[in-house]
Amino acid sequence: MSEVNLHVELLNYTPNPEEVVAMAAKLCYSSADIDTLKEGIARNDQSGFIARLVRMGHLSPIEHASFTFGVEGVSRSLLAQITRHRIASFSVKSQRYVSERSEGGKTFNYIIPQGIKALGQPYIDKFKQQMAIIQSWYDEWVELLGDKGEASNEDARFVLPNAAETKFMVTMNARELLHFFSLRCCNRAQWEIRNLAKEMLKLVLQVAPNIFMNAGPGCVRGACPEGEMTCGRATEVRREFEEIYREYGGLK
């Protein structure tokens, strides 16, 4: 049993995503045939056009660009949050078919919350001890249920905590990603999904910078939309995201 940390990879994405978006947008307003549009888009820089689309809120064309991520080192608690974003496709490691039994030294991995880490090492050790106790409960229930693979795992897993690690793949189109980043990069989002959202943003900035250059919490584009619930740190947040745009999106 061990603590694990967040790891995200951009596994796949629509080839030439910004060209695809530009073609979708220009098709709406042009009498030219598809081949002519395609040639013009390939020949000319579309960065300004894409940035203008996003600023204008003309977002339906960017739905044609999709991005697939592999995520591990996150908790089942995070899984419950991210699956609320319904315009997305998920494939998740099963606690039914994949045993978390400690046999052979294999034990379930887990995430230690930031708040517990901040309390200091004695409390981190206490948390790890509790995870060890839960592991023993899980193992006991697997045996009591007959150790019949998924038939036992599906009920034994009920004692596993929200801290237990999960792994998943998620695919979102660019429009949904912008919405996801606006909610989950915000300081008011829970720390774990906020960290995930920032890492995902860094990855897509590298392949579609003009689509995602101003992505993030609402305060990077104007006044904080949280009203009385604001974190009060908009200036600090803007500086943080400017650094992200500069490092990963090539902002000068």
Side-chain angles (χ1 to χ4, degrees), residues 225-237:
E226 296 295 324
E228 294 181 357
M229 302 298 290
T230 181
C231 71
R233 294 159 56 194
T235 300
E236 177 185 332
V237 172

Side-chain angles (χ1 to χ4, degrees), residues 14-34:
T14 302
N16 304 311
E18 295 189 347
E19 289 187 11
V20 170
V21 169
M23 185 162 183
K26 292 188 176 184
L27 183 68
C28 298
Y29 305 105
S30 175
S31 61
D33 59 48
I34 289 176

Side-chain angles (χ1 to χ4, degrees), residues 197-251:
K198 289 178 182 178
E199 293 305 308
M200 291 167 65
L201 174 58
K202 292 173 185 177
L203 291 170
V204 295
L205 273 168
Q206 296 173 61
V207 297
N210 296 296
I211 294 175
F212 296 105
M213 187 56 72
N214 291 304
C219 63
V220 303
R221 295 177 295 279
C224 173
E226 296 295 324
E228 294 181 357
M229 302 298 290
T230 181
C231 71
R233 294 159 56 194
T235 300
E236 177 185 332
V237 172
R238 290 178 190 126
R239 282 199 299 265
E240 176 188 3
F241 279 84
E242 283 175 5
E243 291 176 5
I244 290 173
Y245 303 147
R246 186 175 295 110
E247 181 174 355
Y248 296 95
L251 177 67

Side-chain angles (χ1 to χ4, degrees), residues 3-5 111-121 123-124 191:
E3 178 190 6
V4 290
N5 297 307
I111 285 75
I112 302 179
Q114 288 183 345
I116 291 176
K117 285 186 175 182
L119 295 174
Q121 192 60 48
Y123 297 93
I124 294 172
W191 65 268

Side-chain angles (χ1 to χ4, degrees), residues 6-10 69-72 74 195-196 199-200 203:
L6 171 66
H7 176 68
V8 192
E9 291 188 20
L10 180 59
F69 303 86
V71 181
E72 59 187 358
V74 295
N195 290 345
L196 171 61
E199 293 305 308
M200 291 167 65
L203 291 170

